[in-house]
Amino acid sequence: MTALRLYLVRHGEPVDSDMFIGHADVGLSPRGLRQADAIAQALAPVPLAAIYSSDLERAAIGAARIAATGCERPAPIALPELREMNLGVLERIAFRDGRARVPELARLGYDDLLDHRLPGAESVRDLAARVVPCVVGLVARHRRGPGESRRAAAPAVVIVAHNTVNRVVLACAAGLGPAGYTRFEQAHGSLSRVDVPDTWSATDPWAGTRIGLVNWTPEATETAAPRR
């Protein structure tokens, strides 16, 4: 049985999408707004117990649109722990100028950042150290308890966050730990789902979790709305 359905949303396309953006606070492009609306419509039939987001504008916009679509939506709660990876000296630097600012980019890619920190930046493992306890805490808060009725659908919670944040959560849910982040693509405006079992325990929070959906983009498909 499922104790919680955790929906992971990557924010829509940001403005200034031709530059490095981690902790930099930017809004959404016109396409990004359409993607946010498509996600909100896809989730409209799903009763939600809570809506969380990163406190960065591009994620908070998506959370607000989800809250405004559907019936009796909870108010979104923004959490700084859910921010994208801090890119340090690369923040707001155009991609074409990145190697001039940080020459080591010539030999490094996103897949090399598990433990490597660019100047002034976080590694993926640094990000995981703040994101994973936050998400585990949200699961503990909202999951259906052992004594609660199994007749109703499991509670559903949405987290609107970022590429690396969602990748790390999915990797942990798959039993790979943060190192598995490279295995999970996350397009702008995409939706993924992790199902948390009734056997959930804070001492082993990823045991038995199942991934029901990964990187689904309602803007680009006409697939049916996600299962409740």
Side-chain angles (χ1 to χ4, degrees), residues 73-224:
R73 293 303 208 200
I77 298 173
L79 301 174
E81 294 87 350
L82 297 174
R83 287 184 178 189
E84 180 57 287
M85 185 165 57
N86 185 343
L87 298 181
V89 296
L90 284 178
E91 293 282 0
R92 292 184 180 269
I93 299 298
F95 293 143
R96 65 179 180 275
D97 299 328
R99 288 185 180 181
R101 178 65 65 93
V102 183
E104 62 191 289
L105 286 182
R107 59 178 177 81
L108 292 174
Y110 179 65
D111 291 359
D112 300 311
L113 298 181
L114 178 64
D115 291 302
H116 186 91
R117 298 184 186 95
L118 297 168
E122 292 179 298
S123 67
V124 172
R125 211 179 291 277
D126 292 333
L127 174 143
R130 59 176 165 82
V131 167
V132 173
C134 176
V135 173
V136 169
L138 298 181
V139 171
R141 181 181 305 170
H142 294 289
R143 72 183 178 94
R144 182 166 53 194
E148 297 183 45
S149 172
R150 300 299 189 269
R151 294 182 179 179
V157 170
V158 171
I159 295 176
V160 185
H162 306 269
N163 180 37
T164 314
V165 172
N166 291 359
R167 282 172 174 255
V168 164
V169 175
L170 289 165
C172 288
L176 302 172
Y181 78 103
T182 61
R183 304 277 293 274
F184 294 93
E185 294 291 333
Q186 289 289 280
H188 287 129
S190 64
L191 180 66
S192 302
R193 193 188 79 229
V194 173
D195 295 338
V196 177
D198 280 344
T199 54
W200 186 87
S201 167
T203 59
D204 192 4
W206 305 111
T209 51
R210 300 178 302 277
I211 298 175
L213 188 70
V214 176
N215 201 31
W216 179 67
T217 51
E219 181 198 41
T221 71
E222 296 181 357
T223 305

